[in-house]
Amino acid sequence: MPIRYASKRRGHPGCGAGMMGTKNATAQGGSLADGPKGLSDAEAKLRLQRNGANELPGGGTRSPFTVLIDVVKEPMLALLLCGGLIYFLIGSRSEALILLGFATFSVIVTLIQETRTERVLEALRDLASPRALVIRDGQHRRIPGREVVVGDLVVLSEGDRVPADLALIKARDLLVDESLLTGESLPVRKAAADTAPVPDAARPGGDDLAATFSGTLIVRGSGMGEVTATGTRSEIGRIGASLAKVRTEAPRLQRQTGALVRIFAGIAALCSFSVILLYGFARGDWLQGILAGIALGMSLIPEEFPVVLTVFTAMGAWRISHARVLTRRAATIETLGAATTLCTDKTGTLTENRMSVTELRAWNGAAFTLARDDRTPLPAPFAEMAEIGRRACAEMPFDPMEKAFHDLAPRLPESATSRLLRSYGLRPDLLAMSNVWMTAEGCVVAAKGAPEAIAELCHLNEAERAAVKTLVDAMGQRGMRVLGLARAEASRGDLPETQRHFAFTFLGLAGLTDPLRAGVPRAVAQCRSAGIRVVMITGDYPATARAIADAAGIAGENILTGTEIDNLDDTALGQRIADIGVFARILPQQKLRLVEAFKARGQIVAMTGDGVNDAPSLKAAHIGIAMGGRGTDVAREASSIVLLDDNFTSIVGAIRLGRRIYDNLRKAMGFIIAVHVPIAGLALLPLLFGLPVLFGPLHIAFLEMVIDPVCTLVFEAEEDEADIMARPPRPPEAPLFSKHLLLWSFLQGIATLAVTATAFVLAWLNGMAEDEIRALVFTMLVLAIVALILVNRAFSSSLRLAVGRHNRALGLVLGIVGLVLAGATLVPLLRDLFHFGPLHVADFAAIFAAAVILWLGLERAKARLGRRLAL
């Protein structure tokens, strides 16, 4: 007769003497209606306010003073200050004040950018912090570890990092790695409080202690504990230790841009010094020579590169987090666009992780189909199978598969009181788990697991195992995940150390289904068009894996199993995986071999994982992708990105965003190079040919103030290109500045310089006043910069895209630039400060026409370069 969990604990003499019991074992069907309620949300909020967040003091943020010191070290600010000082010396106080104002503005902008970036990074750190599964108001809640408070009931599972000091209420086969606190590499065994009371001064180390400590790691088993200390009051806080923080590695892009800026800075210093000497000896005016040298130096240094890279990286990570993907390392953003192979698991990633038991098949071949949400009682033979399946699960299930068995509770008859005595967890060498229950009739052992593991526990012969395999294949072909079920009776003495020593009886098979996520086939098709190979790696049977792969659009004709992998050496494995789309019956440790095999073939590998044993493969992959919902803290810490919703479509969305961010970064960098060419040319041209010096540090500083917001606002906010997921993956060694991009940038710059320099020379030859020439050329240069913005918005040549693509930041920036330019050329006070003469309607018409001609000409030239710009 099937046996029901009881709402009260009752003793039973003799059976399993000396083994731990389970306090308040009341979770029926995953519901906590009669179980522990935990704190209420209101009480938890009050305690959080009173005691503070569950975190240790950190020193990751920079103070404003530190930022200020870093800003002062920048060459551009030094040039602005020098220019201001010289203007004071020659009596031009207005220019001096304006330059000092620009210097102050630069400091303020940098402080604002730093604050904004820190806020973004702090939010990302909050997302990256260990999560905790607590019970509040009788419900399981997954919350950030910093929100855990004293008195919370925390549910612990294998792979979790303990969020606070806990007194253990339950412990099932619980082993904890406390090396962070003790330095001892071996994990220690834990016991529940009813068998090993928590001492007043609990300290880490030693077996059978009914306490766990903040920062330690659950390496096996499960349990539940009540929080006794958080934050600095925890053991890790008292001994002054600090948790390891996520550190952003120096990306390759940062090294490239840093090297480029240093090269340009060296060239600028050499040219500026030469100009000072040339101007001083040739014209005898050393102060003006220094100003000319400063102006040239400012025009040559692309100081925007580090700013743009920092802003794009931080904001890119933030944008990706809005797509339910957490980027834990900055280098991942550039790597995403280079991914060629995407290895994904099945359950919860391709599927909805919403399992239900849809078929029970008895050992005699009889089958019973179960409909979702049906509440009619199960027939007796199948009711016993369902009850054994439920008894083999955790009392308070969190895993969707175990929840599916608990969901069958309303269809099972009531039973007598029972008590959990002992649990035997999954092991790599035996993929089955068993629970021993004390009932009124005696001790019952319920087991579930991989059919071949259950067949081994039941000591089936070869013919019987072949029959089981035939049934499993038939169910797997319909997309079911198949588990074997078995039952045994336990003696009334000490329980054995391993579940292999029970005399199990094979009851039958349970088939569970998990619907495919709606967007998966489309996402797989997008990967295929983007040149990304998608392979599925699962622990399921080959038939089940093939059915899901076919539905998802993954090539599942050729399947390789874990057993076959073990029989191949590394060379043979590398050859076999060339045309394999599905890997079935794979153990976590075999994932590492697959990652290394793909890498040996020159692939850029993205790998998903969620368990403790997945950590090596996640770390070995170029892009480790951990599950944020069902994943363990160990997996998340080993990964480079975390899926907050465990959804495959989010991976594809992250790849798309990664390509977009990289595209926009290249557009911004190309724009910076293009703009610096005419600015430097117009600063150098008068010195070489004896023309009037038009631009001083004041004008260059104004232009530099235009370039920064254009890059950081307009290009960062650009939408992705229409063909972004139709391009092949970018080679990982490809430089940010490809030869085509550099050629295109210099071509734009030279064309802009030619237009503005022609206007300069013609105006000078026609006898126009110097102030009017300065106003004419400056206005033309600003409108030319606007033309360059429109040209660089897209790699493809399209006038419609240049003006019609949605970008709120573009309208804002162009509006501000237009107002400032209008003020500088039309308002007498500002005009005098810039030493501009009056411009006439004909002048503005000529300037506008030249800018339009430049824009159309560059669009025409871009059409010839075509898609090579995007590569």
Side-chain angles (χ1 to χ4, degrees):
M1 177 180 178
I3 307 161
R4 295 281 298 182
Y5 297 139
S7 60
K8 294 182 180 180
R9 174 180 170 183
R10 294 183 182 178
H12 192 286
C15 182
M19 300 307 299
M20 73 177 87
T22 304
K23 187 176 182 178
N24 200 15
T26 58
Q28 300 193 30
S31 171
L32 298 177
D34 299 319
K37 299 294 184 182
L39 298 176
S40 66
D41 284 335
E43 177 62 23
K45 184 177 181 180
L46 181 64
R47 295 188 183 191
L48 185 63
Q49 291 174 344
R50 184 171 62 236
N51 299 326
N54 177 35
E55 57 189 3
L56 299 177
T61 59
R62 296 195 298 165
S63 68
F65 179 76
T66 305
V67 176
L68 183 62
I69 295 299
D70 290 341
V71 173
V72 171
K73 295 177 182 177
E74 291 296 326
M76 183 58 67
L77 184 65
L79 291 173
L80 285 172
L81 293 176
C82 288
L85 178 61
I86 293 173
Y87 274 123
F88 264 121
L89 293 177
I90 63 177
S92 300
R93 293 189 176 183
S94 298
E95 288 85 348
L97 290 174
I98 292 176
L99 281 183
L100 293 177
F102 277 135
T104 304
F105 179 74
S106 176
V107 173
I108 293 173
V109 167
T110 305
L111 286 171
I112 292 174
Q113 286 176 334
E114 178 74 17
T115 303
R116 185 184 186 190
T117 301
E118 275 300 326
R119 278 203 305 267
V120 169
L121 296 177
E122 186 63 32
L124 294 175
R125 278 193 288 267
D126 285 344
L127 289 173
S129 67
R131 317 292 280 177
L133 181 62
V134 301
I135 300 174
R136 288 188 181 169
D137 289 322
Q139 299 291 327
H140 286 94
R141 304 274 180 85
R142 181 73 71 174
I143 64 172
R146 67 188 307 276
E147 296 179 9
V148 171
V149 298
V150 173
D152 261 329
L153 293 181
V154 179
V155 180
L156 301 172
S157 300
E158 182 177 310
D160 288 347
R161 193 168 289 282
V162 180
D165 289 2
L166 309 176
L168 287 173
I169 298 172
K170 296 184 179 182
R172 297 176 59 191
D173 195 25
L174 194 60
L175 286 181
V176 181
D177 177 2
E178 295 183 343
S179 58
L180 178 70
L181 300 175
T182 65
E184 296 295 331
S185 59
L186 293 178
V188 294
R189 184 175 62 248
K190 296 294 180 179
D194 58 353
T195 59
V198 183
D200 293 336
R203 290 291 182 270
D207 289 324
D208 297 322
L209 182 66
T212 58
F213 303 92
S214 178
T216 58
L217 182 67
I218 307 298
V219 297
R220 196 174 77 192
S222 61
M224 183 172 68
E226 180 178 345
V227 176
T228 57
T230 60
T232 56
R233 292 170 293 278
S234 65
E235 180 68 19
I236 194 173
R238 283 195 299 268
I239 66 175
S242 61
L243 293 175
K245 296 184 181 294
V246 176
R247 294 182 179 178
T248 303
E249 60 186 71
R252 185 174 56 93
L253 295 182
Q254 187 175 325
R255 297 195 300 270
Q256 287 186 19
T257 54
L260 198 62
V261 169
R262 288 191 294 272
I263 292 172
F264 273 99
I267 295 174
L270 180 62
C271 291
S272 297
F273 186 68
S274 301
V275 165
I276 293 171
L277 294 179
L278 177 66
Y279 206 102
F281 285 115
R283 302 191 182 186
D285 192 340
W286 288 95
L287 285 178
Q288 289 294 337
I290 293 174
L291 287 176
I294 289 174
L296 181 61
M298 292 171 63
S299 67
L300 287 174
I301 299 175
E303 85 291 340
E304 302 91 350
F305 282 169
V307 175
V308 168
L309 182 61
T310 300
V311 171
F312 272 53
T313 301
M315 294 307 298
W318 183 245
R319 288 186 186 277
I320 290 178
S321 74
H322 280 291
R324 308 298 296 159
V325 177
L326 170 64
T327 307
R328 299 184 67 250
R329 298 187 180 98
T332 305
I333 294 177
E334 62 174 287
T335 310
L336 278 171
T340 59
T341 300
L342 174 54
C343 303
T344 177
D345 57 0
K346 176 181 73 68
T347 303
T349 307
L350 297 176
T351 62
E352 294 181 0
N353 207 22
R354 189 167 52 89
M355 283 191 166
S356 61
V357 181
T358 54
E359 183 174 306
L360 294 170
R361 188 175 289 270
W363 179 228
N364 60 10
F368 186 83
T369 302
L370 296 84
R372 191 185 292 269
D373 299 326
D374 189 358
R375 291 294 185 268
T376 57
L378 294 176
F382 302 105
E384 181 183 12
M385 292 176 60
E387 180 64 20
I388 288 297
R390 190 163 70 96
R391 281 189 171 278
C393 299
E395 295 176 87
M396 292 180 292
F398 187 67
D399 181 87
M401 184 178 63
E402 297 200 333
K403 285 183 177 180
F405 280 102
H406 278 266
D407 287 342
L408 298 177
R411 306 187 66 176
L412 302 176
E414 292 294 333
S415 63
T417 299
S418 59
R419 177 167 63 95
L420 181 65
L421 295 177
R422 181 166 179 173
S423 295
Y424 298 88
L426 291 170
R427 295 291 183 273
D429 59 335
L430 184 65
L431 299 180
M433 62 177 297
S434 302
N435 287 338
V436 182
W437 293 88
M438 180 188 293
T439 71
E441 292 81 13
C443 293
V444 176
V445 187
K448 77 174 191 314
E452 62 269 29
I454 296 298
E456 179 184 344
L457 286 178
C458 296
H459 305 290
L460 301 184
N461 58 38
E462 289 301 322
E464 291 171 330
R465 295 190 186 200
V468 170
K469 186 178 185 304
T470 300
L471 294 176
V472 170
D473 288 342
M475 297 170 71
Q477 288 172 1
R478 303 203 305 276
M480 296 182 187
R481 180 172 185 178
V482 186
L483 296 177
L485 302 172
R487 173 188 172 122
E489 302 291 337
S491 64
R492 294 178 178 270
D494 289 339
L495 297 175
E497 289 300 317
T498 172
Q499 54 189 321
R500 295 179 187 273
H501 293 102
F502 291 112
F504 281 106
T505 299
F506 191 87
L507 296 181
L509 302 171
L512 297 93
T513 56
D514 188 7
L516 194 72
R517 291 185 185 269
V520 165
R522 181 172 176 270
V524 171
Q526 283 184 335
C527 287
R528 193 160 43 243
S529 68
I532 302 171
R533 176 187 176 192
V534 180
V535 299
M536 184 172 75
I537 301 177
T538 178
D540 277 347
Y541 255 72
T544 306
R546 178 179 282 114
I548 297 297
D550 290 343
I554 299 173
E557 298 83 8
N558 299 318
I559 295 180
L560 192 65
T561 66
T563 302
E564 293 172 315
I565 289 176
D566 286 339
N567 294 328
L568 298 172
D569 60 24
D570 291 342
T571 302
L573 179 60
Q575 295 172 349
R576 283 292 306 275
I577 63 174
D579 61 347
I580 301 295
V582 176
F583 297 87
R585 253 3 191 181
I586 299 297
L587 296 174
Q589 57 267 31
Q590 291 171 327
K591 285 187 177 182
L592 179 59
R593 285 198 66 196
L594 290 175
V595 169
E596 297 295 352
F598 280 119
K599 289 171 66 177
R601 293 181 60 86
Q603 301 294 301
I604 303 301
V605 184
M607 166 69 77
T608 67
D610 57 9
V612 176
N613 292 332
D614 290 334
S617 60
L618 291 174
K619 203 171 188 67
H622 297 98
I623 308 170
I625 306 172
M627 302 298 112
R630 70 179 189 276
T632 61
D633 288 331
V634 177
R636 284 192 286 269
E637 290 173 12
S639 66
S640 50
I641 66 175
V642 177
L643 296 186
L644 300 180
D645 58 2
D646 297 0
N647 193 338
F648 178 81
T649 57
S650 296
I651 303 176
V652 182
I655 293 174
R656 187 183 191 97
L657 274 171
R659 290 189 173 194
R660 166 188 163 178
I661 293 164
Y662 193 82
D663 268 6
N664 290 344
L665 183 60
R666 296 178 76 242
K667 293 172 185 176
M669 297 298 190
F671 170 81
I672 291 171
I673 294 174
V675 170
H676 273 274
V677 171
I679 294 176
L682 290 172
L684 188 60
L685 188 66
L687 303 175
L688 295 178
F689 298 100
L691 299 173
V693 177
L694 295 184
F695 298 158
L698 173 64
H699 306 92
I700 303 297
F702 178 84
L703 292 171
E704 298 288 353
M705 293 300 115
V706 171
I707 298 172
D708 271 346
V710 165
C711 291
T712 57
L713 293 176
V714 174
F715 289 109
E716 196 281 326
E718 276 296 333
E719 295 180 350
D720 50 79
E721 303 270 337
D723 67 340
I724 198 167
M725 292 299 283
R727 307 177 202 152
R730 172 181 52 81
E733 71 282 356
L736 178 64
F737 302 98
S738 66
K739 62 180 182 180
H740 294 109
L741 181 63
L742 285 174
L743 173 64
W744 173 232
S745 297
F746 280 113
L747 177 62
Q748 293 178 76
I750 292 170
T752 305
L753 176 60
V755 171
T756 52
T758 299
F760 179 12
V761 173
L762 289 176
W764 181 65
L765 292 176
N766 288 329
M768 183 180 285
E770 183 177 322
D771 286 354
E772 293 182 8
I773 295 176
R774 182 177 293 110
L776 175 74
V777 175
F778 186 87
T779 304
M780 183 173 290
L781 182 56
V782 171
L783 288 185
I785 290 175
V786 171
L788 294 180
I789 295 172
L790 298 178
V791 169
N792 285 280
R793 292 191 68 197
F795 290 125
S796 57
S797 179
S798 170
L799 298 180
R800 180 183 61 82
L801 288 178
V803 297
R805 189 203 292 265
H806 177 72
N807 189 331
R808 291 182 180 179
L810 176 64
L812 175 64
V813 169
L814 293 185
I816 294 174
V817 171
L819 287 175
V820 174
L821 181 61
T825 55
L826 299 177
V827 177
L829 178 62
L830 295 177
R831 199 165 59 197
D832 291 341
L833 287 176
F834 282 92
H835 299 288
F836 287 163
L839 294 178
H840 305 91
V841 175
D843 297 327
F844 282 112
I847 291 170
F848 183 78
V852 171
I853 292 172
L854 175 66
W855 172 36
L856 296 177
L858 290 175
E859 286 288 346
R860 181 73 174 174
K862 185 169 61 173
R864 293 184 176 275
L865 287 173
R867 292 184 61 185
R868 285 175 292 181
L869 290 176
L871 301 178

